Amino acid sequence: MQTIEFWFDFSSAYGYFASLEIDSLARRCGRTVQWRPFMLGTAFRKTGVKGLSSTPLKGDYARRDWSRIARRHGYAFALPPFHPIVALPCSRAFYWIEERHPDAAAEYAKRVFHAHYVANLDLRINDAAAAVAEQLHGVDAVALREALDRQETKEKFAAISDSAVERGIFGSPFFLVDGEPFWGWDRMAQMEDWIRTGGW
Amino acid sequence: MQTIEFWFDFSSAYGYFASLEIDSLARRCGRTVQWRPFMLGTAFRKTGVKGLSSTPLKGDYARRDWSRIARRHGYAFALPPFHPIVALPCSRAFYWIEERHPDAAAEYAKRVFHAHYVANLDLRINDAAAAVAEQLHGVDAVALREALDRQETKEKFAAISDSAVERGIFGSPFFLVDGEPFWGWDRMAQMEDWIRTGGW
């Protein structure tokens, strides 16, 4: 089955909203989803863009927008008081899990988003990233916690982020469908239209 | 009748697409449209953001996106080779016309967008801004051309741009509906939903 590449940063609220919608979109289109966390900060270094929350005017707009999106769709949403963060630990954990338990990776990502945007878990902390993995069947959270301190775990994720940006991925969420890029939660309908019609 | 404030920069391709859709959206919602050109550059000075075309990765994405939007909706669209521009003359002309012929201002804006994005008229030129006005019934294009050189015409538009940014407007297109802000061509459906449901 053909796939949708779903790139996101765990600290991105629009990424969180997309994570709540991508599965049903993919199901409607007969596609699988490839979950792909990366570091938005890596893209920012290339684009020279700052994060939404640290951009005057845009930051205020985004906060208002996140709340109204959550209200409209009935999504649980509590912006962590320490937002935005550099979500390295859980992103590294994601790829460690994916390598060992490919079927558990998407579930881990969903639980991380939930833990952060509903329970306000601090994703900057290695212990927090490992704690979320404890909920997953068959994943050795202790081994994961140890791996998070290892250089190879860090380098693997850094390489994935670098290569994403090399491919032109610069925002969260960002989708690739048969090579066609779609940027933003608000472009998911356009992407679905593209898939269903075969492009235009 | 209640209104939709429609803020845009004549050099913005997403603003052009919005200009093709806003009238029918407003009609469906029983609203009027208040056309409001402003200088995106004024907002950029406050947000620290660069224009799309001069932002690495985003610029390439935007060009691809504009073409596919135009193809999907059947919009005539030819990105001028000199894009992006600082569209001062036609923006100043808009407000000069609006003051004297309020009913002709929206029509002028539409013709400017068309002249730029279909016929690639160079909007940086005062003569070009005046030439578009010649097509409008009752507008004295010669007097307009003279006004474009006057300091008061320039200051009036600068003041409007400044006050827009003061109100939190930072992108193009940008809409205000009873105080609620919506940014982006891709949020017009959300805005329509907001108006029809009375907000949420």
Side-chain angles (χ1 to χ4, degrees):
Chain A
M1 201 186 292
Q2 287 175 298
T3 194
I4 297 169
E5 287 181 50
F6 168 35
W7 292 87
F8 56 89
D9 186 306
F10 279 119
S11 184
S12 156
Y14 293 118
Y16 165 60
F17 297 140
S19 80
L20 300 174
E21 301 177 9
I22 188 63
D23 278 345
S24 53
L25 185 156
R27 212 161 28 238
R28 290 193 299 271
C29 298
R31 296 247 173 176
T32 57
V33 181
Q34 209 182 358
W35 293 64
R36 284 287 171 264
F38 80 115
M39 276 291 104
L40 209 40
T42 306
F44 290 164
R45 279 198 295 279
K46 182 138 182 178
T47 55
V49 171
K50 282 186 295 190
L52 270 179
S53 297
S54 33
T55 302
L57 305 187
K58 276 188 160 179
D60 291 339
Y61 176 84
R63 281 166 191 264
R64 180 178 192 137
D65 191 39
W66 297 331
S67 297
R68 72 181 172 193
I69 289 170
R71 286 198 307 276
R72 180 61 172 135
H73 296 276
Y75 298 145
F77 179 75
L79 191 68
F82 43 89
H83 177 89
I85 60 154
V86 179
L88 280 169
C90 49
S91 304
R92 293 167 178 157
F94 173 91
Y95 288 105
W96 186 92
I97 292 169
E98 188 190 53
E99 197 176 330
R100 287 151 188 85
H101 311 277
D103 293 345
E107 182 61 26
Y108 178 71
K110 289 174 208 175
R111 285 174 188 253
V112 167
F113 268 130
H114 185 87
H116 190 58
Y117 277 113
V118 180
N120 284 357
L121 189 72
D122 190 339
L123 299 181
R124 290 168 297 192
I125 299 169
N126 282 336
D127 288 344
V132 175
E134 283 172 12
Q135 308 161 5
L136 299 171
H137 183 71
V139 173
D140 184 345
V142 174
L144 165 61
R145 175 64 191 83
E146 286 169 9
L148 290 177
D149 289 326
R150 283 203 293 275
Q151 198 57 26
E152 62 180 89
T153 314
K154 298 175 185 178
E155 282 169 4
K156 179 177 176 178
F157 176 59
I160 288 169
S161 282
D162 287 344
S163 102
V165 176
E166 280 302 312
R167 291 174 65 205
I169 292 156
F170 59 81
S172 172
F174 198 103
F175 306 92
L176 280 167
V177 176
D178 312 333
E180 188 70 18
F182 296 90
W183 168 40
W185 165 83
D186 43 18
R187 292 304 187 89
M188 294 177 76
Q190 185 191 37
M191 172 173 67
E192 182 165 356
D193 179 37
W194 180 276
I195 298 172
R196 285 168 176 270
T197 59
W200 60 77
Chain B
M1 202 185 291
Q2 285 174 299
T3 194
I4 298 169
E5 288 182 50
F6 168 36
W7 292 87
F8 56 89
D9 185 307
F10 279 119
S11 184
S12 156
Y14 293 118
Y16 164 60
F17 297 140
S19 80
L20 299 174
E21 301 177 8
I22 188 62
D23 278 345
S24 52
L25 186 155
R27 211 160 30 237
R28 290 194 299 271
C29 298
R31 296 245 175 178
T32 57
V33 181
Q34 210 182 358
W35 293 63
R36 283 288 170 264
F38 81 115
M39 276 291 103
L40 210 39
T42 306
F44 290 164
R45 280 198 295 278
K46 182 140 182 176
T47 55
V49 171
K50 281 184 296 189
L52 271 178
S53 296
S54 34
T55 303
L57 305 186
K58 277 189 161 181
D60 290 340
Y61 175 84
R63 281 165 190 265
R64 181 179 192 135
D65 192 38
W66 297 331
S67 296
R68 71 182 172 194
I69 289 169
R71 286 198 307 276
R72 180 61 172 135
H73 296 275
Y75 298 147
F77 179 74
L79 191 68
F82 43 88
H83 176 90
I85 59 154
V86 179
L88 280 169
C90 49
S91 305
R92 293 168 179 157
F94 173 92
Y95 287 105
W96 186 91
I97 292 169
E98 189 191 52
E99 198 176 328
R100 286 152 189 85
H101 311 277
D103 293 345
E107 182 62 25
Y108 179 71
K110 289 174 209 176
R111 286 175 187 253
V112 167
F113 268 130
H114 189 270
H116 191 59
Y117 277 112
V118 180
N120 284 357
L121 189 72
D122 190 338
L123 298 181
R124 290 168 296 193
I125 299 170
N126 282 336
D127 287 343
V132 176
E134 282 171 13
Q135 308 160 4
L136 299 171
H137 184 71
V139 173
D140 183 345
V142 175
L144 165 61
R145 176 63 191 83
E146 287 169 7
L148 290 177
D149 288 327
R150 282 203 293 276
Q151 198 56 27
E152 63 181 87
T153 313
K154 298 176 184 178
E155 282 170 5
K156 179 177 177 180
F157 177 58
I160 288 169
S161 281
D162 287 345
S163 102
V165 176
E166 279 303 310
R167 292 172 65 205
I169 292 156
F170 59 81
S172 171
F174 199 102
F175 307 92
L176 280 166
V177 176
D178 313 332
E180 188 71 18
F182 295 91
W183 168 40
W185 165 82
D186 44 19
R187 292 306 187 87
M188 293 177 77
Q190 185 191 38
M191 172 172 69
E192 181 165 359
D193 179 37
W194 179 276
I195 298 172
R196 283 168 178 272
T197 59
W200 60 79

